[in-house]
């Protein structure tokens, strides 16, 4: 299910409940994965503002075209339903061939105590994230139907391939044999918000991204500590507000 709403430029990160209640009831639908386009996107720039139905009754409103200001950040600190990730409205999609914005502003989350949505953690524009979700769904379906979708297992019966170390473990991945050290760490896919090394993404770009990611982690961790102690608001923190800060810090930590 999908739709298109008339575009009305927003002036604040906060959306009045009466502005989206009708959309939830009459446009979004109740099935997991349903979407409703509240504001149109701009070709090769951003995907606009989109409402997404998640599991059960939860829904979120993502805005890829909204550039938050300092006042918006203050609102987000006191409202657990709103999240402004680092780079929101500015950072490009992690897909190297995609020029669109990859980090949206979470204008509203009906269940902020639930884990942060992949749309905020993935570093991808809405279109690329939906394509990735569909690809994963297809792979899971093929696996459930008994069709091979790739193999990764300890290869006790894998023939010797001239390992450089007698202590290495031998794996077969997609019909290729890989020797790994016993203390090797295997990451299944790129870290959120990063790109694959290539002609246009080498040491200078990688270094710049690492500095940015570590800086974001430091800022979010400090914010979590201050918020948990009530320094930022001057009032005792609530469980929801602390959880909200923790989710942002955890997102930064997962990228670092």
């Amino acid at each position: 299910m999908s739709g298109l709403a008339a575009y009305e430029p927003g002036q604040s990160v906060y959306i009045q409940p009466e502005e989206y209640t009708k959309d939830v009831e009459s446009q979004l639908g109740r099935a997991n994965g349903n979407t409703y386009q509240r504001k149109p996107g701009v070709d090769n720039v951003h995907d606009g503002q989109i409402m997404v139905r998640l599991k059960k009754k939860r829904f979120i409103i993502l805005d890829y075209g909204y550039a938050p200001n300092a006042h918006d950040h203050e609102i987000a600190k006191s409202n657990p339903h709103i999240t402004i990730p680092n780079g929101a409205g500015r950072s490009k999609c992690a897909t190297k061939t995609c020029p669109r914005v990859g980090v949206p502003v979470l204008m509203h989350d009906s269940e902020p105590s639930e884990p942060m949505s992949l749309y905020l953690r993935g570093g991808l524009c809405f279109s690329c994230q939906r394509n990735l979700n569909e690809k994963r769904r297809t792979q899971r379906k093929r696996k459930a139907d008994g069709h091979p979708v790739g193999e990764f297992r300890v290869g006790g019966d894998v023939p010797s391939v001239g390992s450089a170390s007698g202590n290495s473990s031998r794996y077969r991945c997609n019909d290729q044999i890989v020797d790994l050290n016993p203390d090797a760490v295997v990451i299944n896919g790129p870290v959120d918000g990063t790109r694959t090394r290539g002609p246009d993404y080498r040491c200078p770009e990688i270094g710049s991204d690492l500095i940015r990611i570590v800086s974001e982690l430091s800022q979010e961790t400090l914010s979590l500590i201050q918020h948990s102690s009530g320094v930022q608001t001057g009032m005792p923190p609530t469980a929801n507000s602390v959880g909200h800060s923790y989710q942002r810090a955890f997102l930064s930590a997962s990228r670092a």
Side-chain angles (χ1 to χ4, degrees), residues 51-121:
M51 181 178 286
V52 184
R53 173 72 72 182
L54 301 179
K55 292 181 179 179
K56 299 179 180 179
K57 296 182 179 181
R58 185 186 181 191
F59 69 89
I60 57 177
I61 301 176
L62 307 168
D63 200 321
Y64 291 82
Y66 187 80
N69 55 40
H71 183 60
D72 291 326
H73 283 275
E74 292 302 315
I75 294 175
K77 290 177 183 178
S78 60
N79 189 328
H81 296 276
I82 300 172
T83 298
I84 304 178
N86 285 302
R90 303 187 309 274
S91 294
K92 297 301 181 183
C93 178
T95 302
K96 62 180 181 179
T97 57
C98 179
R100 291 187 289 267
V101 171
V103 181
V105 175
L106 178 62
M107 309 291 278
H108 184 79
D109 186 342
S110 64
E111 300 291 339
S113 60
E114 292 293 315
M116 187 177 289
S117 169
L118 188 60
Y119 289 104
L120 278 85
R121 294 185 286 113

Side-chain angles (χ1 to χ4, degrees), residues 95-151:
T95 302
K96 62 180 181 179
T97 57
C98 179
R100 291 187 289 267
V101 171
V103 181
V105 175
L106 178 62
M107 309 291 278
H108 184 79
D109 186 342
S110 64
E111 300 291 339
S113 60
E114 292 293 315
M116 187 177 289
S117 169
L118 188 60
Y119 289 104
L120 278 85
R121 294 185 286 113
L124 300 173
C125 71
F126 187 80
S127 302
C128 290
Q129 187 63 62
R130 290 288 280 195
N131 290 339
L132 179 60
N133 292 350
E134 185 59 34
K135 181 179 179 181
R136 289 172 174 170
R137 238 188 319 269
T138 300
Q139 289 179 338
R140 287 196 296 268
K141 185 176 184 303
R142 286 178 59 84
K143 186 175 181 180
D145 292 340
H147 299 295
V149 293
E151 184 183 34

Side-chain angles (χ1 to χ4, degrees), residues 203-213:
C203 291
E205 293 80 14
I206 293 172
S208 176
D209 275 356
L210 286 175
I211 292 173
R212 173 181 56 81
I213 289 170

Side-chain angles (χ1 to χ4, degrees), residues 65 112-113 179 213 220 222 225 248 255:
S113 60
D179 286 324
I213 289 170
E220 294 296 354
L222 178 61
I225 294 171
R248 291 203 304 267
R255 289 177 174 173

